[in-house]
Amino acid sequence: MNRATVAVLAYEGMSVFETGIVTEVFGLPRPEFDVPWYELTVCAETPGAVRLVGGATLHTDHGLDVFAGAGTLIVPGVADVHADPSPRLTAALRAAHRRGARIVSICSGAFALAGAGLLDGRRATTHWRYADLLARRHPAVRVDPDVLYVDHGDVLTGAGSAAGLDLCVHLVRRDHGPTIANAVARRLVVPPHRDGGQAQFVEAPVPADPGDDRLAASMSWALANLTAEITVARLAGQAHMSPRTYLRHFARATGTTPIRWLIDRRVQASLPLLETTSAPIEEVAATVGFETAVTFRHHFTAAMRTSPSAYRRAFTGASGGAHAPGSGTT
């Protein structure tokens, strides 16, 4: 199955944002990479004009036959979350899945996959505002509203809107490895791994006030010294504040605590080591500042919803389980 052939489904009344994400990641040529890049086709249930939000019109000559024939099918949303997908779309998704294609949804697109039965008995996500509705309409789906995406290998679901970027970069990581994915992320001016789930608008992982140089300097120091014994007192000292003042400033700037932020940073620092080296888990844990492998596994699993070993297998050719990044998991 050539999963480098990517098809995205346009639909009546859609916003171009999610489709634009797919086009940016999979449709633009990437001559800087010495690997065959993706071939993207925009499809519609009925070839021809598709009306978009704002009065614009998209035209495509490609219908569901082309969509179902791709190696990776992406449903970026649905026109109505209260309606069932059409029988033709359901048949196309099921046929593609049976022959081994990779099926992907972004935002409300999960309703189409659920309607086709592809999410039954599986963990899945969608935009947080639709999570309860998806769970009510499709009780066989284990809806997780707290992650950015869920990866079952053959079926992947992404959360709201911008989480489509996280999911698309994740697909590049699965197909081409972290080096190329990180380069794509840099081109997009997004982090290759984003902390937090859909609550990121509440808990930002970096200071909200870039003018607080003392706080930023202490965080930069911590990132450069992850293997050190880092306490609130040491961080406060780097910022030339008392611990109490530092905690207050840190919470106001980031929405979290210094220790929780530090644990997240250490988990994120472990990802490239798991993806690109065969170092034992104990060595990875020590390299990023965890005292023991047990502590590392505990915090990694809490943050990534999978174990370090399972995460590593996802990047060494073995089949992965359910994943989604940040507080969600990769």
Side-chain angles (χ1 to χ4, degrees):
M1 174 62 60
N2 179 16
R3 290 181 167 176
T5 58
V6 179
V8 60
L9 187 68
Y11 58 93
E12 288 288 316
M14 76 175 188
S15 165
V16 297
F17 181 74
E18 288 85 356
T19 304
I21 289 171
V22 175
T23 302
E24 180 76 20
V25 174
F26 302 111
L28 295 183
R30 305 286 182 181
E32 66 270 31
F33 302 140
D34 189 24
V35 296
W37 203 240
Y38 300 91
E39 299 176 11
L40 176 67
T41 304
V42 179
C43 303
E45 288 202 40
T46 302
V50 179
R51 291 172 297 178
L52 310 177
V53 167
T57 300
L58 178 151
H59 187 279
T60 177
D61 296 326
H62 307 293
L64 287 178
D65 55 338
V66 175
F67 183 66
T72 298
L73 287 68
I74 301 179
V75 183
V78 295
D80 184 356
V81 294
H82 298 281
D84 293 329
S86 71
R88 294 177 59 236
L89 176 56
T90 295
L93 290 170
R94 288 173 176 170
H97 185 252
R98 280 196 301 269
R99 64 176 181 79
R102 181 168 56 188
I103 314 295
V104 181
S105 69
I106 299 172
C107 198
S108 65
F111 285 84
L113 274 60
L118 301 183
L119 302 181
D120 287 357
R122 299 188 189 224
R123 182 165 151 262
T125 194
T126 184
H127 194 291
W128 59 265
R129 66 180 296 193
Y130 301 134
D132 288 344
L133 178 62
L134 181 63
R136 290 197 304 270
R137 293 199 61 215
H138 300 280
V141 181
R142 293 184 287 117
V143 180
D144 187 342
D146 298 324
V147 297
L148 294 176
Y149 58 81
V150 177
D151 178 359
H152 289 282
D154 58 333
V155 177
L156 301 89
T157 52
S161 299
L165 275 171
D166 300 276
L167 178 52
C168 288
V169 171
H170 171 69
L171 288 171
V172 175
R173 293 173 73 85
R174 293 295 299 265
D175 295 341
H176 297 293
T179 300
I180 288 179
N182 291 350
V184 171
R186 283 194 296 273
R187 283 278 297 270
L188 294 170
V189 198
V190 298
H193 291 284
R194 189 148 61 105
D195 293 342
Q198 297 191 65
Q200 286 197 131
F201 60 90
V202 175
E203 293 187 352
V206 295
D209 179 8
D212 193 339
D213 293 337
R214 294 181 298 167
L215 191 63
S218 72
M219 296 171 78
S220 295
W221 172 83
L223 293 176
N225 295 275
L226 286 178
T227 58
E229 181 180 351
I230 300 175
T231 63
V232 171
R234 291 194 71 178
L235 288 168
Q238 290 292 324
H240 304 290
M241 300 178 186
S242 70
R244 177 177 293 183
T245 300
Y246 185 82
L247 285 169
R248 186 171 64 253
H249 278 267
F250 199 99
R252 185 170 62 231
T254 69
T256 188
T257 67
I259 298 306
R260 182 175 176 182
W261 174 84
L262 180 63
I263 289 170
D264 286 341
R265 292 295 85 210
R266 284 171 165 159
V267 168
Q268 292 298 313
S270 74
L271 301 183
L273 299 177
L274 294 170
E275 295 162 5
T276 61
T277 77
S278 58
I281 298 300
E282 292 76 9
E283 183 178 328
V284 172
T287 300
V288 298
F290 287 104
E291 291 186 358
T292 68
V294 172
T295 303
F296 171 52
R297 288 189 181 97
H298 169 77
H299 289 300
F300 190 98
T301 301
M304 304 298 289
R305 306 291 179 89
T306 189
S307 69
S309 297
Y311 182 88
R312 169 174 276 166
R313 285 195 297 272
F315 289 90
T316 57
S319 60
H323 303 297
S327 90
T329 43
T330 295

